[in-house]
Amino acid sequence: MRKGTFAKLFSVASAVALAGTLVWPLAPRTAHADRGVVDLWKAIKPLTTIASAMNTGAHPDDEHSAMLAYLSLGKGVDTFSIIANRGEGGQNEIGSELGNALGIIRTRELQEASKVTNVTLGILSEAINDPIYDFGFSKSPDETLAKWGEQVVYERLIRKIRELRPDVVIPAFLNEPSTHGHHRAINVITVKAFKDAADPSVFPEHLKNGLRPWQPKKLYVPADEKDYTVRVPIGEYDEVYGASYQQLGEESRFMHKSQGMGRHYDEGPSFNYYKLEQSTVPSKARETDFFEGIAYTFDDLAREVAGKPGGEKLARELRTLQKDADDVIAAYPGFADVAREVHDMLSDVQRALTVVQEAKLDEETRADLTHRLKVKERQLYTASAEALSLVAKVRPETGELVAGQTTTVKVTAYNGGQVPLKDVSLKLNVPEGWRAKPLGATSFDQVGYNQTVTAAYEVEVPKDAPLFQPYLPPSITADVSYKAFGSTAVSRVVPSDAVAVLPPFSLSLDPGAAVLNTLKPQEPISVKVTVKNYQPGAAEADISLDVPAGWSVEPKASPLAFASKGETKSVAFTVKPSAAVKSGTYTVTAVARAGAKESRHGAQVIHYPHIGTTYYVQPAELMIQAFDLKVPEGLKVGYVSSGFDNIDQYLKQVGVNVTLLSAKDIESGDLSQYDTIVLGIRAYGFRPELISSNARLLKYVENGGNLVVQYHKPEDKWKPELAPYPITIGTPLIEWRVTDEQSKVTMLAPEHPIFTAPNKITEEDWNGWIQDRSAYNPSQWGKEYVELIANGDPGEKEFTGTFLTAKYGKGTYTYSSLVWYREIPALVPGAIRLFVNMVSLKP
């Protein structure tokens, strides 16, 4: 197997890590350079301790990366990161994907980040559109748990604790009012689960399924240097890794590219602080580390076991394992010497497992020892492959499959070390219902230095195979087993990219969402359907649209012929609504029919170098929102995109003439040609030319232009004086936003043109908003501004600076913290009507 690719857990849905089972990697690995002796050290360090720790958080990037790096890479502790959701509600700093597609990206980033720190990852959200969804910012843990389903998220957390059996549990956040409600919710359930995970009456179905209760020994929460129990020296420099643990943690955080994470830290002392909240073992006000009073080594475990009935023999076995672990470390960095000691220890672990099963122990002690020894066996498999320089790969002929297809998959094993590998077996694992037929030898007597062996399999995908689900474990894996120094080890490998069952014809519609103006119901809607053939070889299909009752479409169907797999073709349709169309939401679905095969889905390819390739399969639908909308003729808008929104596309769709402005346009172009210029969210932070050209923008307003500025954070280089009259953004940011999308909005200046022309804005236009009302509201502003609305979360003071507008010279300057970038792509009628009004203001 490729070095360092196994012994990490990416569990998604199924119960794992039960006694007697192996935990394997459940996500494809991107290509990174092997680091020789560094990776070897990373593999053998965990053999020195039997301790474990779990860090819980809400979103990808919540993990305490530096602390995890210290525990896992520095101390060798079996370390877990359990994250609730997949970050679907956030922004995307590397592309245009939002919602579920963004959740897929952030999941893969989280998986890759966990590999850097050698951390076992678990995610409580199990599927696309799972109840545990990132629904956006929340101020309340109660709201969060209500939306997630408190029992749903709690059961999954308890299950993870019982599966992984951590000695120490550490929530990433405190339950305090200044913290995101999602973060607070995870603290609440983690603190509660500390004792409930040991109570068999809490989710008793777990025990029926073979999952025993588990009591962690200690619960720590984040603290500071004034009041703490343990301080973690994340600034310690590790000579083997050539970095401090803080730097290693940031190396993992740099994988969260869609969130712009990762910082560069200099070398030097630094600490994370934690306070002991609950404990089942004696504790002190100050502790040297998390594991004081907890068995940390095999010798510690032997002392605990020795006094139990039948425990002395078992204690001798554990003391042998302690010596084995010491011998492995002493053999470093000699690869062959380490391999010999690793396989000696593997034999001893397997013998100890037999002794545990035969000993007259109470069931809880037996389960605990079995679990810890199985963890060690798995870690020894990792260490063996590293020490022997075994590189195993599984290579599908193609990663893009369709139901009923037959393909070839090869499994290879390369020996880069000096120790011959004996009795090598290459086994391909496929889902139930699939068929994997060997096309030749799969077992080999011996593989020597610099030799590769290959086993080829013919794989048949069943005709009823379900379409790809990105959060399930990989559909295809391979096991490479081999013998060295008298004991057998197994390595599991996954493909470098996702292997996906895709629709035979992938369909995408342009536009993906559309506005139907009920003031002009006779206007047809042009729809382009792009079809990609995923079937091997040539194929033909009839493409059509399913439209609402009473609507018509031309042509009725259009045949397409494809010469080969991967070929893409498009066909145009004209959809005509019924004459009596009313306001509401309508759906148009694209369909491809080829004999008995029918496709109604599209496969969005998601590819970035740091996460590889994966897919988002979803229904091929066009959502049409029908409502009345007036748009001035000839309205010309210049849009300055920050890369975080696509509002310009929707303005074009409703009939606005929109031009995306380049840096050159802003710095030296003729701005007077535009009736309105719109700055996208956080534009000053991501379009550097705006700062130096701000005087030009204000001059544009002064000369009669209409400038619309969407919300900014202070760190986006925002300064109050960028506006014609000062605007100061409120801090801390958490206190200056409205998260209840259905909160009451009062129009403070109902006769202002923004509310009257060309569309009359009423209370109904504030209905149906999604996720939030506003973010990063101003706390102070010049008296020159008109306060357009008052709005706040229930029970809190209302903000009146959310929507500000002022005359400046001959023109108008408007600053809005309303979350247009979410509302307009969701086709919220009132948001679109109001935005059109805002960009239609006349001098």
Side-chain angles (χ1 to χ4, degrees), residues 569-582:
K569 291 188 175 182
S570 297
V571 59
F573 294 92
T574 299
V575 175
K576 294 182 179 179
S578 67
V581 65
K582 296 180 180 180

Side-chain angles (χ1 to χ4, degrees), residues 537-596:
E540 296 181 354
D542 287 329
I543 313 302
S544 61
L545 295 180
D546 283 356
V547 298
W551 293 32
S552 63
V553 58
E554 290 292 338
K556 298 292 185 185
S558 181
L560 290 180
F562 301 91
S564 60
K565 177 180 179 177
E567 188 176 1
T568 300
K569 291 188 175 182
S570 297
V571 59
F573 294 92
T574 299
V575 175
K576 294 182 179 179
S578 67
V581 65
K582 296 180 180 180
S583 296
T585 303
Y586 302 88
T587 301
V588 171
T589 304
V591 184
R593 294 183 175 88

Side-chain angles (χ1 to χ4, degrees), residues 697-777:
L697 291 172
L698 294 184
K699 192 67 176 176
Y700 160 80
V701 180
E702 193 175 7
N703 290 336
N706 180 31
L707 181 62
V708 172
V709 180
Q710 297 179 67
Y711 79 67
H712 281 72
K713 296 181 180 181
E715 59 262 36
D716 295 327
K717 302 176 185 176
W718 178 264
K719 298 184 185 311
E721 56 269 25
L722 288 173
Y725 314 110
I727 293 177
T728 301
I729 299 168
T731 57
L733 297 177
I734 188 174
E735 297 179 4
W736 294 89
R737 61 193 303 163
V738 180
T739 63
D740 184 350
E741 62 272 28
Q742 298 304 319
S743 55
K744 178 177 173 53
V745 177
T746 301
M747 291 182 282
L748 300 176
E751 299 309 314
H752 191 280
I754 277 184
F755 295 133
T756 60
N759 300 285
K760 177 65 175 175
I761 303 301
T762 67
E763 288 188 7
E764 186 177 344
D765 287 296
W766 300 102
N767 295 334
W769 287 49
I770 66 164
Q771 193 156 321
D772 296 299
R773 282 289 193 202
S774 60
Y776 319 123
N777 285 298

